[in-house]
Amino acid sequence: MLETLSRSKQASVGAASGSAVSVTNLHIRFGANDSSFTALSDVSVEIPAGSLVTMLGPSGCGKSTLLRTVADLVHISDGSVSVHGQTPRKAREGRDFAFVFQEATLLPWRNVIDNVRLPLLVGKREAGATYADPEELIALVGLKGREKAMPHELSGGQRQRVAIARALVTRPRILLMDEPFGALDEITRDKLNEELLRLWQETGTTILFVTHSIPEAVFLGQHVLMLAAHPGRVKEFMTVDLPYPRSLAMRDTVEFIRVTAHLRTLLGEC
Amino acid sequence: MANVLPSQAEGRALVDGNRFKMLDAAAGAALRHLPATLAILGCILLWQLVVWGFSVPTFMAPGPLDVIKAFGENAGVLWANFWPTLMEAVLGFVFGNVVAVLLAVWFVHSPLAERAFYPIAVIIKSIPIIALAPILVLLVGNGIAPKIIIAGLICFFPTLVNMVQGLKSVSPAMLDLMRILSASNSEIFWKVRLPSSLPFLFAALKIAATSSVMGAIVAEWIGSSYGLGALIIEATYNFRSPLLYATVVIAASLAVVLFFAVSFAESKIVRWKPTTDH
Ligand SMILES: Nc1ncnc2c1ncn2[C@@H]1O[C@H](COP(=O)(O)OP(=O)(O)OP(=O)(O)O)[C@@H](O)[C@H]1O
Ligand SMILES: [Mg+2]
């Protein structure tokens, strides 16, 4: 089943030492010059290829802005962002990354499989690029048998699974996720977190994951990137020393509690 | 071959099953609409009793029986005047809505066009239609044209407003997604904007279906010699009240039929429900 995603796997193995995203002295300002608002100020960070980096920070500190800048949705005011050595725009056109939003953003008139196929129907498709099989991806996210279901017949968690399958269909090397499970109940969220970890380990995709929840950030993250607000800047980039595969029980270990406590203190200072 | 086709008996069972299903559906519909049907019949009965009880003169208010008689006596006249009104209403409906939809598409793609022409659309909308009729008769003559234009104008505005809103109803996240997929403007239009505008469009079309009949009839009041509108005027001036009532019933039925035609089309085309993303 996972041969469908092998492109990302090979890529990550080949470039394991390099960085998937490198941000250098990035400044993002919104609005006209006289009334401009600085959302990000002098942000520099390296996201290693194949890593899972979670992003924390107080509301409004620019987490979404950073993610959207990588995804070529925000104009760079100053500094540079490189995605596998390319500009965000080139990376977008090359289908190097995919984005998962807080809302599933499914087209309500398309059934599950047609929603997953959407990326294959629009935009410039690379000549000779081979994409993942939508049916296998639907099975991968645990929705086998629901291919023909309409979005309104699914629960919030199931819709988010469809959104993840849709993001994976172009075999992106980077997955950008902005609070993807933020609107879900805790049990569903735990389950999806475990499945995301499994997916990451099996495919080797680089994942950049924004969340508001410290336990979620620590449970998932190989590294945690903490941003501070006013203006948005890097507070800390730390490595979480907990072995994979991780299970939910790990959240009761001393190390887990130590890391979350540390992050909570840091967040309080932001 | 034999194991592909259903046997004759199976086929008959299938047809019978369908017939039962249809009967079932009809019975269900009748039951569901029973209260409304009884209420309407009750009102008609009450009307007849009032007319009898107070000996209301027929020219002032004919009873239901007089109206039914008028249907029989004037079937030819009613029929002859029904067609022009139907034509005007339908053509006005088509033209008014097509222009409104095209304008809405233009507005959504060009904010400048929207800012320039939306106010003009509002001004046209605020002119009372009945005041516009004589002006149009002077402009384009007394044929079918002014009627179609008025029926179209009445449809135009609600559809324009709804369609613009519908085309803009796409969530910003959806547009971000399409941008990340490097989708072109026309792909965004056909794959996202147009389908999500359909519920808005049909809401407007249902209004337009009934108001186009009203527009055609109002237009026929101004110096027309045919159509249900002209018949209403003529029957009123000649104190042929039963005929007047019969004409009104026909006009109302026409509007109802058009409304249900649009509703039917909607149920066939918009088969999805919007998901409420929390
Ligand atoms: N398009 C925009 N125009 C103007 N200001 C913006 C825009 N996008 C974001 N901002 C501002 O930039 C700041 C950072 O916003 P951003 O959405 O990145 O925060 P966030 O860290 O994702 O917050 P949250 O945790 O609440 O999602 C906010 O103050 C916001 O008001
Ligand atoms: Mg955000």
Side-chain angles (χ1 to χ4, degrees), chain A residues 63-64 178-179 210:
Chain A
K63 302 182 294 292
S64 300
D178 193 354
E179 298 182 44
V210 172

Side-chain angles (χ1 to χ4, degrees), chain A residues 68 72-73 92-93 95 97 99 101 103-105 107-110 119 121-123 151-152 156 159 166 183, chain B residues 171 173-174 176-184 187 191-193 195-196 271-278:
Chain A
R68 293 166 59 82
D72 192 35
L73 292 172
R92 163 169 67 79
E93 285 169 355
R95 298 277 171 97
F97 55 78
F99 208 111
F101 302 89
E103 299 139 44
T105 56
L107 294 174
W109 51 89
R110 285 176 167 260
L121 305 177
V122 301
H152 72 262
R159 284 206 284 272
R166 179 183 58 193
Chain B
S171 76
M174 197 63 227
D176 283 345
L177 176 77
M178 294 306 276
R179 183 175 155 79
I180 285 170
L181 296 173
S182 309
S184 66
E187 283 169 338
K191 292 232 155 37
V192 181
R193 283 195 191 277
S196 47
R271 315 194 87 166
W272 46 276
K273 289 197 189 79
T275 41
T276 41
D277 266 325
H278 19 223

Side-chain angles (χ1 to χ4, degrees), chain A residues 201-227:
Chain A
Q201 290 190 293
E202 286 171 355
T203 63
T205 312
T206 309
I207 298 179
L208 196 49
F209 186 105
V210 172
T211 174
H212 267 139
S213 150
I214 295 176
E216 184 173 59
V218 177
F219 177 71
L220 290 175
Q222 208 171 18
H223 310 279
V224 178
L225 170 63
M226 169 89 72
L227 296 187

Side-chain angles (χ1 to χ4, degrees), chain B residues 18-273:
Chain B
N18 278 346
R19 194 175 300 148
F20 275 128
K21 240 183 250 160
M22 271 164 63
L23 275 178
D24 250 17
L31 260 181
R32 237 178 320 121
H33 297 299
L34 193 61
T37 314
L38 286 180
I40 290 172
L41 287 177
C43 285
I44 292 175
L45 186 68
L46 187 70
W47 169 18
Q48 185 67 62
L49 290 178
V50 167
V51 167
W52 274 337
F54 296 92
S55 317
V56 182
T58 305
F59 72 86
M60 213 175 116
L65 288 177
D66 299 316
V67 176
I68 290 169
K69 218 166 74 197
F71 268 115
E73 283 165 3
N74 302 289
V77 180
L78 285 168
W79 191 241
N81 287 292
F82 166 78
W83 283 110
T85 306
L86 174 67
M87 286 304 287
E88 293 154 10
V90 169
L91 287 176
F93 178 85
V94 170
F95 285 127
N97 287 311
V98 165
V99 172
V101 167
L102 292 180
L103 259 187
V105 171
W106 189 31
F107 283 4
V108 168
H109 283 103
S110 160
L112 184 67
E114 179 172 9
R115 262 183 294 144
F117 293 108
Y118 219 141
I120 297 183
V122 175
I123 292 170
I124 292 176
K125 147 86 185 158
S126 21
I127 303 174
I129 284 293
I130 193 134
L132 212 58
I135 296 176
L136 282 173
V137 169
L138 291 178
L139 274 178
V140 296
N142 202 10
I144 194 171
K147 286 102 183 170
I148 294 175
I149 293 175
I150 286 181
L153 271 177
I154 258 187
C155 301
F156 168 77
F157 197 75
T159 304
L160 176 69
V161 173
N162 268 275
M163 194 64 189
V164 167
Q165 202 192 342
L167 290 170
K168 286 183 175 172
S169 70
V170 179
S171 76
M174 197 63 227
L175 293 176
D176 283 345
L177 176 77
M178 294 306 276
R179 183 175 155 79
I180 285 170
L181 296 173
S182 309
S184 66
N185 275 340
S186 77
E187 283 169 338
I188 294 177
F189 179 77
W190 291 109
K191 292 232 155 37
V192 181
R193 283 195 191 277
L194 190 66
S196 47
S197 74
L198 288 180
F200 292 80
L201 176 63
F202 273 105
L205 291 185
K206 280 191 270 190
I207 302 172
T210 49
S211 47
S212 66
V213 175
M214 187 178 85
I217 286 176
V218 166
E220 285 164 353
W221 283 353
I222 314 294
S224 177
S225 49
Y226 57 82
L228 295 178
L231 197 57
I232 287 174
I233 299 286
E234 201 187 295
T236 310
Y237 286 150
N238 297 325
F239 294 102
R240 295 173 66 188
S241 305
L243 176 61
L244 170 64
Y245 276 55
T247 314
V248 170
V249 169
I250 296 241
S253 314
L254 175 57
V256 168
V257 167
L258 290 183
F259 177 88
F260 279 111
V262 174
S263 297
F264 180 73
E266 181 183 24
S267 71
K268 288 286 156 222
I269 293 170
V270 185
R271 315 194 87 166
W272 46 276
K273 289 197 189 79

Side-chain angles (χ1 to χ4, degrees), chain A residues 30-31 37-40 57-66 68 74 102 178-179 210-212 227 230:
Chain A
F30 289 113
F37 171 83
T38 304
L40 290 177
S59 186
C61 71
K63 302 182 294 292
S64 300
T65 304
L66 180 55
R68 293 166 59 82
V74 173
Q102 178 165 5
D178 193 354
E179 298 182 44
V210 172
T211 174
H212 267 139
L227 296 187
H230 310 298

